Amino acid sequence: PLIHSLGCAGHGIILIYSIPIAVEQGISLTAAALILSLINIFSIAGRLLTPMIAERFGGRPVMAAALAIQGITVVVLFWATDLWAFYIFAILFGIGFGGEMSAYPVVNRQYFGSGPIGTFYGIEMMGALLGHAVATVLAGFVIFVTGSFNPILVLSMGFSLVGVLVILTLATLTLSQAGCLGL
């Protein structure tokens, strides 16, 4: 739940504020809306490929990589002024965003087995939505106080990259442990 919360806080800020950030840089509202569309379109590729790759190479490293992509690509927004830079950002961020979102079932199965997951999934989703709620309120407050989008970009990166650190603290499963879980 903590990882899901951090990941959602990281991408939630971008999903909410990518259009105003682009408009502030002189991008038309229509072109800025396309940025958000591209994020979501390219997240489809991440959502499709990540679980397949995670089942082959393990959910932990794949989810860490996707969340790192989600966090690191935000750097582009500090200097993006041209539409093409926003579109490149949207494509790369979208892949990381989609990958971060879809590896959770694989990780859950690898660590907790394939038994009943309803309660754990509910708790995990609560963490995800808390991440969105906290990030939305916090980012809005930070923008109000500072008058700038830059601090919320730092927040977005921070949430995502702290999520990577938490993922990397998970125990590494050996093949024999994974076999005991029926994987």
Side-chain angles (χ1 to χ4, degrees):
L2 176 60
I3 297 166
H4 211 146
S5 182
L6 290 165
C8 286
H11 66 246
I13 290 171
I14 299 303
L15 296 176
I16 292 168
Y17 293 104
S18 60
I19 293 174
I21 289 169
V23 169
E24 185 179 76
Q25 293 301 318
I27 305 299
S28 75
L29 187 56
T30 303
L34 183 57
I35 294 165
L36 185 56
S37 295
L38 287 172
I39 288 171
N40 287 300
I41 288 168
F42 280 88
S43 80
I44 294 169
R47 290 171 199 262
L48 176 66
L49 296 174
T50 298
M52 291 183 238
I53 296 168
E55 286 188 335
R56 179 161 174 87
F57 298 104
R60 180 177 167 258
V62 173
M63 188 163 48
L67 199 50
I69 291 167
Q70 176 180 291
I72 292 168
T73 56
V74 173
V75 169
V76 172
L77 294 179
F78 285 103
W79 296 282
T81 56
D82 296 321
L83 187 57
W84 66 266
F86 281 99
Y87 287 167
I88 294 294
F89 160 77
I91 291 166
L92 297 174
F93 181 85
I95 291 168
F97 161 51
E100 181 260 330
M101 293 295 298
S102 61
Y104 289 104
V106 176
V107 171
N108 291 344
R109 189 183 72 218
Q110 288 176 335
Y111 282 89
F112 303 110
S114 57
I117 62 162
T119 301
F120 182 77
Y121 185 72
I123 293 168
E124 182 179 315
M125 294 314 302
M126 181 185 68
L129 295 176
L130 280 171
H132 279 289
V134 168
T136 301
V137 171
L138 182 59
F141 179 74
V142 168
I143 293 167
F144 177 77
V145 169
T146 67
S148 173
F149 290 112
N150 287 344
I152 69 164
L153 296 178
V154 171
L155 276 175
S156 172
M157 292 174 58
F159 284 132
S160 296
L161 297 176
V162 169
V164 171
L165 294 175
V166 174
I167 291 166
L168 295 177
T169 65
L170 295 175
T172 302
L173 295 175
T174 65
L175 289 176
S176 62
Q177 289 169 320
C180 290
L181 294 174
L183 305 176

